[in-house]
Amino acid sequence: MRSTNKPCFNVATGIDVGARDYQEDCLVADFPQGESFGIGVLADGMGAHVSGDMASSIVVSQVFAALKMRRKDLQSDVANIPALLRDAVGEANDAMSDFININTECNGMGATLIATIVVDRKLFWLSIGDSPLYLIRKGEITRLNEDHSMAPQIDAMVASGQLSAEIAATHPDRNCLTSAVLGQKIPRIDCPDNPIALEDDDTLILASDGLQTLTDEDIYRLAREKTKRGASEVLQRLLSAVEAADAPEQDNVSVIVVQFDTTPAQVPISAPKSTNQRAKAAPRSAEDDALLAALIPDIEDAPDIINQAMSL
């Protein structure tokens, strides 16, 4: 036997419509108390009103259900988690394509995606689009995932002297996406093979880009100013700050806050398992097949699908 630290999670989720007339964001977080495993999924839909809402619901329900049904694989063969994440987004993309083929008036709908998996002290993620994934650690805030929008290219033009910072900040192409889940080939997927090792007092923030009304420095200050705050307080401070900014075109805001801590535990010593082969899912039960069968024809029932997956 060896001594280790078992992760404890303090989690809060929130969503706000902002200045929009409709909500296009969707999220789910499942970090059971007393366990060292958790899933967070967040999507920012596009396509206006019903289509954007439907797009984010399809992506979140598909990805979350796929990961929950493969939970044993995720926990027993950590090296294959990136492949399983890619499989899950592939299923979501196929579901989007099927929905658009049936509902042709929804052509052009899509969504960004952040999907995170924490196993023991390891953080894996997959992201598509511009929704940020932040890590707050020891006095610093770091964006972990790639920004699949034109913003990095515009900022590079500022760094090279081709564009002024003032023009770049309000450039009309700044928020144009270079990758999204659209039911077509996905141009860019950020899914590192190697996980981030989480440390005591780390805070993860998954968000739609509506949170970026605030600067990274603002987000850090609201999360950690003076003393570490609980996840619920951090969430409320972030949403309140966005509201106080009173941006006339404020986008929807969705946020998952996950704080990481540890408690001592004892586990048996075992050799690590590693493989470079593509992940293979365990055989599904009849209950799993019924859940998958429900996803396409009744995608309007995404909240019920997510609730079913929660119970797996």
Side-chain angles (χ1 to χ4, degrees), residues 109-166:
M109 66 187 268
T112 69
L113 170 66
I114 308 175
T116 59
I117 296 173
V118 177
V119 180
D120 296 324
R121 302 174 66 93
K122 302 179 182 68
L123 167 68
F124 295 86
W125 77 84
L126 180 149
S127 72
I128 300 167
D130 60 353
S131 299
L133 170 63
Y134 293 110
L135 170 66
I136 296 177
R137 171 184 291 173
K138 295 178 180 178
E140 295 183 353
I141 182 169
T142 304
R143 178 168 179 164
L144 297 178
N145 63 333
E146 297 174 356
D147 181 352
H148 297 157
S149 74
M150 290 298 295
Q153 297 179 45
I154 291 172
D155 290 340
M157 293 176 69
V158 174
S160 66
Q162 301 177 63
L163 205 63
S164 71
E166 292 75 18

Side-chain angles (χ1 to χ4, degrees), residues 60-74:
V60 169
S61 60
Q62 281 278 3
V63 171
F64 180 66
L67 295 177
K68 281 288 285 187
M69 285 187 292
R70 295 168 180 146
R71 175 173 175 166
K72 290 183 179 179
D73 295 333
L74 296 171

Side-chain angles (χ1 to χ4, degrees), residues 24-70:
E24 294 183 294
D25 291 357
C26 185
L27 61 80
V28 62
D30 183 31
F31 290 82
Q33 289 297 318
E35 297 193 24
S36 59
F37 176 85
I39 298 172
V41 184
L42 181 148
D44 180 354
M46 53 189 177
H49 197 24
V50 175
S51 294
D53 175 45
M54 191 64 66
S56 62
S57 295
I58 290 172
V59 170
V60 169
S61 60
Q62 281 278 3
V63 171
F64 180 66
L67 295 177
K68 281 288 285 187
M69 285 187 292
R70 295 168 180 146

Side-chain angles (χ1 to χ4, degrees), residues 8 100 114 122-123 155 218 242 259 268 276 297 305:
C8 296
I100 292 171
I114 308 175
K122 302 179 182 68
L123 167 68
D155 290 340
D218 288 336
V242 170
Q259 293 179 332
N276 293 322
I305 294 168

Side-chain angles (χ1 to χ4, degrees), residues 5-11 31-37 118 120-121 198-202 228 258-264:
N5 289 327
K6 185 175 183 179
C8 296
F9 305 110
N10 182 6
V11 182
F31 290 82
Q33 289 297 318
E35 297 193 24
S36 59
F37 176 85
V118 177
D120 296 324
R121 302 174 66 93
L198 293 174
E199 299 178 2
D200 288 355
D201 296 329
D202 280 353
K228 181 179 176 180
V258 183
Q259 293 179 332
F260 178 84
D261 206 344
T262 56
T263 55

